[in-house]
């Protein structure tokens, strides 16, 4: 409410240029709207974390700087309303609407990812993630946060643009032991072999900071690279998702393609040191796109598509995901001449 700051149940109807809301009497909405929100010039904030005990909010700010706080019944409903309202706000710009729907299930992380920086922001006393006490199956946990709260926080702080991206980042935080699962719901999920299914975007899954979250990450992969491998001209670089050779999980890696000599190296974006964690010569390699209809043999876990495969001359298979078909084609075109 604008005068009395209480919360009232209203029936909302989204039109092309406005959002109408009706009063409910006797379980039915009244024939005339109680009010309207003009969407021209509106800005939308979702998730809105201004109310600590209300995680399901959408905030609409009109061009006259009037704020409306709308609370939904679930995160799925909130995100669906936010997507449709944003589409109505940009209805006159079809390209923006198309981009909006593409971003909903996109995978395009920031050009530079520092998990140290994310954790520092999470620990900030004023703008960080809110820590609460939780009781689960008779066990009391201090200073925890839920999986869905972390996903909301990552999106609201612009570390991710979609829930899928935020879950991927949260999975990286968990894999690198910055956060850890506590309680039955989240610890049971870690029994999955696929990392993408281990972190839960769920309001009943509890997590907390690991004791070693502020540690200096040691280089667990003591790989030695010849200086000549890294001396070639950089042809292309960017973030891709690579399947691991042992656990068969998917990890975000920064790939660097070099020519003269022709090598493809990949770096762990969680490491501050500029040292590759893997790489191979491209001479004698085969590179090809994989079909998106079904999961190819040798590939496990949550595959989003846009896959391609590189087979080295030693018959080592690398499975890699790009963020789009266009990006996959660009990488293949850049690699082929160097094989």
């Amino acid at each position: 409410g604008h005068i009395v700051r209480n919360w009232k149940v209203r029936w909302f109807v989204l039109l092309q240029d406005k959002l109408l809301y009706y009063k409910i009497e006797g379980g039915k909405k009244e024939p005339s709207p109680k009010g309207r929100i003009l969407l021209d010039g509106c800005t939308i904030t979702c998730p809105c974390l201004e109310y600590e005990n209300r995680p399901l909010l959408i905030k609409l700010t009109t061009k006259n700087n009037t704020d409306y706080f709308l609370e939904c019944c679930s995160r799925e409903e909130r995100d669906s309303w936010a997507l449709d309202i944003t589409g109505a706000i940009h209805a006159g710009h079809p390209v923006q609407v198309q981009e909006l729907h593409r971003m909903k299930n996109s995978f395009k992380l920031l050009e530079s990812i520092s998990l140290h920086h994310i954790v520092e922001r999470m620990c900030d006393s004023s703008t960080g993630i809110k820590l609460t006490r939780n009781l689960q199956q008779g066990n009391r946990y201090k200073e925890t946060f839920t999986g869905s709260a972390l996903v909301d926080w990552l999106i609201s702080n612009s570390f991710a643009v979609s829930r899928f991206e935020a879950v991927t980042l949260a999975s990286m935080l968990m894999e690198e032991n910055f956060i850890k699962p506590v309680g039955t719901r989240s610890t049971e999920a870690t029994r999955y072999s696929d990392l993408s299914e281990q972190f839960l975007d769920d309001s009943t899954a509890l997590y907390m900071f690991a004791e070693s979250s502020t540690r200096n990450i040691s280089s667990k992969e003591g790989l030695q690279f010849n200086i000549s491998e890294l001396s070639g001209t950089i042809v292309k670089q960017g973030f891709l998702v690579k399947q691991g050779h042992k656990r068969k999980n998917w990890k975000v890696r920064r790939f660097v393609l070099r020519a003269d000599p022709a090598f493809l190296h990949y770096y762990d974006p969680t490491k501050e040191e500029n040292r590759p964690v893997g790489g191979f010569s491209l001479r004698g390699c085969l590179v090809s796109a994989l079909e998106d209809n079904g999961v190819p043999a040798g590939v496990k876990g949550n595959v989003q598509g846009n896959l391609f495969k590189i087979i080295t001359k030693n018959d080592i298979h690398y499975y890699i995901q790009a963020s789009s078909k266009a990006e996959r084609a660009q990488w293949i075109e850049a690699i082929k001449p160097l094989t």
Side-chain angles (χ1 to χ4, degrees):
H2 288 291
I3 300 174
V4 181
R5 298 287 181 175
N6 53 0
W7 296 86
K8 302 172 183 177
V9 176
R10 293 288 183 256
W11 181 268
F12 279 83
V13 176
L14 176 61
L15 303 180
Q16 186 173 3
D17 59 345
K18 63 178 73 72
L19 191 62
L20 304 179
Y21 53 94
Y22 295 79
K23 191 175 180 180
I24 302 293
E25 286 290 345
K28 296 181 179 180
K29 71 181 180 70
E30 292 187 336
S32 300
K34 180 76 174 176
R36 67 192 67 212
I37 305 171
L38 298 179
L39 297 178
D40 181 39
C42 260
T43 58
I44 183 170
T45 304
C46 180
C48 173
L49 305 182
E50 293 188 27
Y51 288 83
E52 183 177 342
N53 61 337
R54 294 183 181 273
L56 304 178
L57 288 184
I58 296 171
K59 178 182 177 182
L60 284 175
T61 304
T62 68
K63 64 180 179 182
N64 297 325
N65 290 321
T66 302
D67 291 335
Y68 291 87
F69 293 92
L70 316 176
E71 184 173 33
C72 300
C73 297
S74 67
R75 279 179 168 79
E76 292 76 17
E77 185 182 54
R78 179 198 64 187
D79 294 345
S80 177
W81 271 100
L83 187 71
D84 291 337
I85 292 171
T86 307
I89 291 173
H90 299 300
H93 307 280
V95 174
Q96 286 181 293
V97 176
Q98 184 180 10
E99 178 68 10
L100 174 74
H101 284 271
R102 186 197 66 78
M103 286 171 57
K104 183 181 179 183
N105 295 306
S106 71
F107 192 93
K108 189 74 173 177
L109 290 174
L110 300 173
E111 286 301 312
S112 59
I113 304 172
S114 170
L115 294 190
H116 288 282
H117 175 61
I118 293 175
V119 172
E120 286 177 3
R121 290 280 301 276
M122 287 175 65
C123 293
D124 189 277
S125 57
S126 58
T127 60
I129 192 165
K130 303 300 181 185
L131 302 178
T132 58
R133 292 184 179 184
N134 283 279
L135 182 67
Q136 196 174 88
Q137 293 187 339
N139 295 318
R140 192 177 299 276
Y141 301 99
K142 297 181 180 180
E143 298 187 330
T144 61
F145 47 87
T146 66
S148 53
L150 177 54
V151 169
D152 285 347
W153 185 88
L154 289 169
I155 295 172
S156 66
N157 284 272
S158 303
F159 289 113
V161 298
S162 69
R163 301 195 77 79
F164 178 71
E165 286 186 14
V167 167
T168 302
L169 272 180
S171 299
M172 293 167 64
L173 289 169
M174 189 168 66
E175 186 185 22
E176 295 300 328
N177 201 29
F178 286 104
I179 64 174
K180 63 180 181 181
V182 291
T184 305
R185 182 85 172 88
S186 55
T187 52
E188 282 184 352
T190 60
R191 296 174 185 174
Y192 288 104
S193 59
D194 177 29
L195 181 69
S196 64
E197 299 175 1
Q198 291 184 11
F199 181 85
L200 299 177
D201 180 6
D202 192 300
S203 59
T204 64
L206 299 181
Y207 299 88
M208 65 186 303
F209 289 111
E211 294 178 1
S212 57
S213 62
T214 57
R215 79 198 190 289
N216 292 323
I217 300 178
S218 61
S219 178
K220 61 183 178 183
E221 298 179 65
L223 299 175
Q224 300 295 325
F225 293 92
N226 193 308
I227 297 295
S228 63
E229 290 185 23
L230 306 175
S231 64
T233 303
I234 295 178
V235 176
K236 185 175 178 60
Q237 59 182 319
F239 287 101
L240 298 166
V241 187
K242 172 187 166 293
Q243 180 177 263
H245 289 293
K246 294 180 181 179
R247 293 181 61 193
K248 302 297 182 184
N249 54 359
W250 294 90
K251 299 178 182 179
V252 175
R253 293 291 181 252
R254 179 171 65 87
F255 280 79
V256 178
L257 176 63
R258 292 181 173 91
D260 300 323
F263 275 84
L264 184 63
H265 292 99
Y266 47 94
Y267 298 73
D268 187 340
T270 67
K271 312 296 184 188
E272 293 183 340
E273 58 189 34
N274 191 28
R275 178 193 180 115
V277 296
F280 51 90
S281 170
L282 290 172
R283 296 301 179 195
C285 283
L286 298 174
V287 57
S288 60
L290 297 177
E291 295 296 330
D292 292 336
N293 53 346
V295 180
V299 175
K300 293 184 178 180
N302 187 13
V303 179
Q304 300 298 311
N306 307 313
L307 275 170
F308 64 98
K309 178 172 68 172
I310 301 176
I311 305 175
T312 69
K313 64 181 180 181
N314 297 324
D315 200 33
I316 298 174
H317 294 225
Y318 290 85
Y319 295 98
I320 301 169
Q321 293 188 60
S323 63
S324 66
K325 288 185 178 180
E327 186 181 46
R328 175 176 66 180
Q330 290 170 8
W331 274 98
I332 292 174
E333 289 174 7
I335 292 171
K336 273 187 174 179
L338 302 177
T339 60

